[in-house]
Amino acid sequence: MSCSSTLPVSTLPVSTLPASTSPTPSVPDAPEDYPWTGQAVRSALLLSTGIADLDPDGGVDAPAEQQDRPLVDVAAIEAGLAADGAAPLAERTLVVAVGSNQTPETIARKYARSGHDLHPATPFVRCTIHDLAVGHCAHISARGYIPAAPYRAQGERMELVATWFDDEQLAVVDETEPNYERIHLEQESFPVTLATGERPRHVDVYASVWGVLAHEHPIPLRHRQQEIFDELVALTGSELVRGDAAEICARLEAAPDALQTLVREHSLVAEDGLPRG
């Protein structure tokens, strides 16, 4: 699933941001540094003029569901979208991201690379979700890194980012996720509270079609590829994942099925436990 950009971050109120041409995404980050997000999440609005920060001044010190009042103003998002000539929230699909899709920079790059003439305006809102955790897909990405993947984890609570895509944007993002299928998570089974204070009836999420890496239990997402490669060396002893992360990513990129074969041979794959159909 990609961050860091030269896109400007606006300090103006969202509703006053002027429309402009589509922003130019930065060069993709090094695959060995995936998932590029760090450990923090943020609310933001990607517009044709750049990225507007939606988090309150001073940052956020508690999960979205524990706030006394909404952290993000829905009316401001709607005003920003309208001012940019983009589709309103009612015409968008809400998708919870678990990897680099949490960042506006990644999504801007995906839009730019798609070759489609689509409007870039996209809201990103932090959220609290229960009974879901994030691990690793049991397959590499095209660039050789091991991407993030969600799995059911009863009793877990995570702070992630939910993104509203219009139909054209969603079709583009779907195309960029060949190792995943987009599925529904219902509020009854996976309670979600957005930073807007809303509790949507359901959200979508990209779930791995290959299962997730596991050793007795799914392995939680490591924030650097070197960490997960070193862990796999300890579990398999394989030279395939031994050494410097950049070299391993290049090695895996050249042999796309090698990682999947390795982890299956060592029984390091589990189902994600998420609902299909």
Side-chain angles (χ1 to χ4, degrees):
M1 292 180 188
S2 321
C3 164
S4 220
S5 173
T6 56
L7 295 177
V9 177
S10 173
T11 57
L12 297 174
V14 171
S15 59
T16 66
L17 290 177
S20 183
T21 57
S22 297
T24 302
S26 66
V27 175
D29 298 88
E32 64 270 20
D33 294 331
Y34 177 91
W36 309 302
T37 56
Q39 300 201 32
V41 297
R42 86 190 210 255
S43 298
L45 181 56
L46 172 64
L47 296 169
S48 57
T49 50
I51 300 170
D53 188 3
L54 298 180
D55 277 337
D57 292 340
V60 177
D61 58 4
E65 68 176 8
Q66 294 180 0
Q67 300 294 326
D68 294 334
R69 57 187 177 81
L71 295 169
V72 176
D73 184 0
V74 172
I77 294 177
E78 293 282 24
L81 292 173
D84 211 27
L89 296 181
E91 297 176 11
R92 294 171 177 264
T93 299
L94 189 60
V95 182
V96 171
V98 300
S100 62
N101 280 356
Q102 294 186 87
T103 70
E105 294 88 349
T106 291
I107 296 302
R109 281 200 294 266
K110 289 189 173 187
Y111 292 164
R113 288 198 304 260
S114 72
H116 294 278
D117 183 18
L118 75 171
H119 202 297
T122 311
F124 297 73
V125 177
R126 62 172 67 234
C127 67
T128 303
I129 185 166
H130 287 262
D131 300 325
L132 189 79
V134 183
H136 296 268
C137 179
H139 199 282
I140 64 162
S141 73
R143 296 178 64 207
Y145 60 82
I146 306 176
Y151 61 92
R152 181 190 290 273
Q154 201 69 29
E156 187 72 59
R157 181 185 71 185
M158 299 204 74
E159 291 293 292
L160 297 172
V161 172
T163 306
W164 274 285
F165 295 113
D166 69 25
D167 290 347
E168 291 182 338
Q169 294 167 346
L170 188 61
V172 165
V173 178
D174 281 349
E175 289 177 1
T176 69
E177 302 295 350
N179 292 315
Y180 300 82
E181 59 180 313
R182 183 163 47 84
I183 63 173
H184 264 1
L185 300 181
E186 300 294 337
Q187 178 73 227
E188 292 78 7
S189 300
F190 299 89
V192 178
T193 302
L194 303 180
T196 59
E198 299 167 287
R199 291 171 54 84
R201 287 185 301 161
H202 60 76
V203 296
D204 284 5
V205 71
Y206 287 101
S208 169
V209 300
W210 304 103
V212 294
L213 294 184
H215 179 231
E216 297 180 356
H217 304 285
I219 299 172
L221 182 66
R222 306 312 186 200
H223 289 276
R224 292 175 60 252
Q225 288 290 291
Q226 191 70 62
E227 296 175 47
I228 188 61
F229 291 148
D230 290 347
E231 198 160 347
L232 289 175
V233 170
L235 293 171
T236 68
S238 175
E239 294 298 316
L240 178 70
V241 286
R242 188 186 301 276
D244 176 75
E247 296 174 358
I248 298 169
C249 287
R251 192 182 304 151
L252 294 177
E253 182 180 7
D257 297 324
L259 187 281
Q260 183 193 9
T261 300
L262 174 69
V263 296
R264 292 197 176 278
E265 286 178 347
H266 287 82
S267 301
L268 297 177
V269 181
E271 298 296 323
D272 59 28
L274 298 175
R276 294 327 197 255

